[in-house]
Amino acid sequence: MMRFSTALAMTATLTATTVALVPAAASAHGGAPPQIPTAGGYGGAVSTVDPTATAVGLDVLRRGGNAVDAAVAAAATLGVTEPFSAGIGGGGFFVYYDAKHRKVHTIDGRESGPATMTEDIFVDPADGLPYDFAEARVSGLSVGTPGTLATWEAATGKWGTRSLGSLLQPAAKVADRGFAVDATFRQQIADNAAPFAQFDSTRELYLPGGAPPAVGSVHRNPDLADTYRLIARRGTGVFYRGPVAADIVRTVQNPPVADDPAAPWAYPIRPGDLRLSDLANYRLRFPAPTRSDYRGLTVYGMSTPSSGGTAVGEALNILERTDLSEVSRTQALHQYLESSALSFADRNRYVGAYTPQPVLDRLISDRWARQRACQIDPAQALTKPVPPGDITASGCTPARAGGKVEDGQSTTNLTVADRWGNVVEYTLTIEQTGGNAMVVPGRGFLLNNELTDFNFTPTQGSAPDPNLPGPNKRPRSSMSPTIVLKDGRPFLALGSPGGATIITTVLQVLVNRIDLGMTLPEAMAAPRASQRNTAAVQAEPAFIAQYGPGLGGLGHTFTPVAELGAATAIEFGRGGRMIASAEPARRGGGAAGVVHPRR
């Protein structure tokens, strides 16, 4: 999504070495940074969905900060300019390549449920049926303890060179002085007009005069600026144990429902039971990354409660059994779609927050890939949904169980590298576009609805469901921040938003780049399809037009969707050269930049 900050009105280009981070209020009619989806050069690179955030990250790199510093500063800025997708009211997964020690680390900053959460939290006690998604989402029931701010603190403390407080300052200035509203920002508010209208704090910020702000108007968020500055002065304790924590709990337990909502809402707005003790007791996790080998490369991803690393790794292992460069494009895409369906079947059956490590290891093993790949028929698509494999068996014997795919959409992603070779791949979210629709009064940020990523009721028949709610449990995620090494050094880093389609977006970009001979910008821009073990493949219109006839002949059917994902990536070449790439069009287009452009 494009965000044109008035703070950067005089900036000529994101790749110029003279980008100045001076977020002063300026006329919304002034010049804005152009949309640059691809930039090549040296000295560090940043790719995000927003030019303001990219410019903030580049400025940190130019001033001597490292990739972690730049990633945190950019992420904080996205909390201002991308407030419906990310922010301190949510969580995420942070993957870091430490160039000095040539090691990949991860931070699990996923939101966790309250200590009092039960398996039937999303079942209506009046009739024993699960709540409609909209009812569950726009409620206090859906809010998990946010992990984003703790992630920023841990990342900067472990690997950064700047204080968290200093890295919050650029975002606070953008929030205070404003940025120009674009069509995507306005549309996201319009799409949430009814839920936003239910809460005084939300409609005051995002529905001025009862309507979404006009394109070109300047949007300011002084409450968020003050919250950032309070955290900068007093530390994250104010968020997890102090006055901000008290305001979060009050909002969840007593939603700030308007006396006169400007739009009807079909559901009661239910309070939740998030408590001060839940915020005070929140802890990050630092799991080992998932690892799989693919055509001589080493692919690192995020382990549970994310399913991304496991699902991407399993699909790659299945695909590796076919030389995709030697088959037709139709056959290569057939293999991609079938591998995705098989990995999603296994993900839904086995992967959740508490999946034992031996099970995860089995799913991402070459032996398991052989068991699953043998089911693919080059001449005919499998009937979907395919059953998961039997983790206790050998050969092609499938288990008998179904599976559900969650479809949360509101996420953002950023990719950063510095001149020393450190790399950050970071996906962060508040789940649905607009989160649970509640702005914390006086604090300026939306709360997440992450707990709706749990399955509301069992989905696996007589088999255990790994993704049911539970006390302090973290819901399964599809976020797939990925770092690929070649001979122990970075080759490619990428990630995307898009709910469950994140997995297929990352997988398809990898296949495009590694197997199908595309450059990174071509791999990013190519039309996408997402097979998540459903009867029909979700696909962009351009994909259907180009590949639908051939794949249809193999039995694939398609459901058109406007777009899939909004990826960011950096590729690493010889001599320190980097190619930063963002979306040229999806979600309004992204912004890539380098410290020193290619001459």
Side-chain angles (χ1 to χ4, degrees):
M1 180 189 309
M2 287 295 287
R3 291 286 174 269
F4 293 147
S5 171
T6 58
L8 300 167
M10 301 305 294
T11 303
T13 173
L14 286 172
T15 57
T17 57
T18 56
V19 169
L21 186 59
V22 186
S27 168
H29 303 290
Q35 176 181 331
I36 301 177
T38 301
Y42 303 85
V46 180
S47 179
T48 80
V49 296
D50 171 67
T52 302
T54 295
V56 166
L58 285 172
D59 187 76
V60 170
L61 293 178
R62 289 194 184 94
R63 296 173 185 269
N66 69 8
V68 171
D69 303 324
V72 169
T77 306
L78 289 171
V80 179
T81 60
E82 286 270 305
F84 315 120
S85 298
I88 56 175
F93 298 104
F94 192 101
V95 180
Y96 171 62
Y97 172 78
D98 179 344
K100 181 177 180 180
H101 299 98
R102 298 176 70 171
K103 186 175 181 181
V104 176
H105 304 267
T106 73
I107 301 177
D108 164 16
R110 182 69 158 163
E111 302 88 337
S112 58
T116 58
M117 187 169 65
T118 59
E119 189 172 289
D120 60 356
I121 188 173
F122 294 118
V123 175
D124 190 339
D127 58 16
L129 298 175
Y131 294 127
D132 289 346
F133 178 81
E135 181 175 3
R137 172 208 168 192
V138 183
S139 75
L141 298 173
S142 65
V143 182
T145 302
T148 290
L149 193 61
T151 299
W152 296 351
E153 180 181 47
T156 54
K158 284 177 169 289
W159 308 303
T161 66
R162 303 286 190 270
S163 69
L164 175 58
S166 68
L167 297 172
L168 293 176
Q169 295 300 336
K173 292 178 182 178
V174 174
D176 228 0
R177 301 181 182 183
F179 59 91
V181 170
D182 70 5
T184 306
F185 189 91
R186 186 184 190 282
Q187 187 60 52
Q188 289 187 325
I189 295 175
D191 292 343
N192 278 283
F196 281 8
Q198 307 309 307
F199 306 103
D200 287 325
S201 53
T202 310
R203 71 181 187 180
E204 179 182 353
L205 182 59
Y206 293 121
L207 294 168
V215 172
S217 63
V218 176
H219 178 78
R220 298 181 175 89
N221 191 342
D223 285 346
L224 182 56
D226 289 344
T227 300
Y228 276 166
R229 291 186 179 116
L230 176 65
I231 295 165
R233 290 194 309 271
R234 296 176 53 185
T236 61
V238 300
F239 187 92
Y240 287 101
R241 293 176 296 279
V244 181
D247 289 342
I248 292 171
V249 169
R250 187 178 302 111
T251 303
V252 172
Q253 295 184 358
N254 299 283
V257 180
D259 292 331
D260 57 341
W265 188 246
Y267 306 100
I269 296 173
R270 302 176 184 274
D273 195 35
L274 190 74
R275 303 182 184 186
L276 286 171
S277 56
D278 293 312
L279 277 89
N281 293 329
Y282 181 81
R283 297 293 183 270
L284 297 168
R285 296 176 62 252
F286 302 88
T290 62
R291 171 179 170 163
S292 57
D293 296 324
Y294 187 67
R295 308 200 196 280
L297 304 170
T298 307
V299 181
Y300 288 94
M302 194 69 216
S303 189
T304 54
S306 176
S307 62
T310 303
V312 169
E314 179 181 344
L316 288 174
N317 287 340
I318 295 171
L319 284 167
E320 195 169 24
R321 304 194 64 77
T322 301
D323 187 346
L324 300 183
S325 67
E326 295 295 324
V327 299
S328 69
R329 185 60 54 90
T330 294
Q331 186 59 220
L333 292 172
H334 171 66
Q335 294 286 331
Y336 155 69
L337 295 173
E338 297 293 84
S339 298
S340 297
L342 291 166
S343 67
F344 261 94
D346 297 336
R347 162 204 188 266
N348 295 343
R349 170 63 185 87
Y350 296 113
V351 181
Y354 302 144
T355 303
Q357 189 62 46
V359 174
L360 297 175
D361 292 341
R362 178 75 180 273
L363 292 175
I364 209 168
S365 69
D366 288 332
R367 178 183 174 185
W368 182 256
R370 288 193 296 271
Q371 289 181 233
R372 302 302 272 150
C374 65
Q375 299 187 53
I376 298 176
D377 182 351
Q380 180 66 41
L382 293 163
T383 300
K384 313 298 190 307
V386 298
D390 185 345
I391 204 77
T392 66
S394 59
C396 288
T397 306
R400 295 182 179 179
K404 167 187 175 292
V405 176
E406 66 276 7
D407 288 311
Q409 295 296 317
S410 183
T411 310
T412 193
N413 191 83
L414 59 89
T415 311
V416 181
D418 61 33
R419 59 183 171 175
W420 299 284
N422 303 302
V423 182
V424 170
E425 190 60 50
Y426 183 27
T427 313
L428 57 160
T429 185
I430 58 173
E431 212 279 327
Q432 193 73 9
T433 302
N436 84 331
M438 298 179 197
V439 168
V440 178
R443 300 301 182 184
F445 61 90
L446 284 156
L447 291 174
N448 70 83
N449 66 298
E450 213 65 61
L451 301 186
T452 58
D453 268 355
F454 284 115
N455 294 335
F456 289 11
T457 55
T459 66
Q460 299 300 312
S462 61
D465 188 320
N467 192 41
L468 291 174
N472 300 311
K473 191 175 180 181
R474 302 179 187 211
R476 180 172 63 201
S477 169
S478 298
M479 289 182 275
S480 307
T482 301
I483 294 178
V484 182
L485 304 187
K486 182 177 182 179
D487 300 326
R489 300 187 183 279
F491 164 68
L492 185 64
L494 75 160
S496 176
T501 70
I502 293 172
I503 291 168
T504 56
T505 294
V506 169
L507 179 62
Q508 190 171 1
V509 172
L510 288 171
V511 169
N512 288 346
R513 177 65 190 92
I514 297 168
D515 293 302
L516 302 185
M518 298 184 194
T519 65
L520 178 59
E522 291 170 343
M524 295 275 285
R528 292 179 185 147
S530 179
Q531 170 52 275
R532 305 190 303 284
N533 200 24
T534 54
V537 179
Q538 282 192 333
E540 295 173 342
F543 185 95
I544 297 172
Q546 190 169 356
Y547 304 115
L551 290 167
L554 298 178
H556 296 281
T557 60
F558 297 93
T559 299
V561 292
E563 61 183 27
L564 291 166
T568 67
I570 297 174
E571 182 172 330
F572 303 86
R574 296 179 179 177
R577 182 173 176 270
M578 302 175 189
I579 299 173
S581 185
E583 297 285 358
R586 294 181 183 94
R587 208 155 120 175
V594 295
V595 173
H596 301 299
R598 178 177 52 206
R599 301 294 184 186

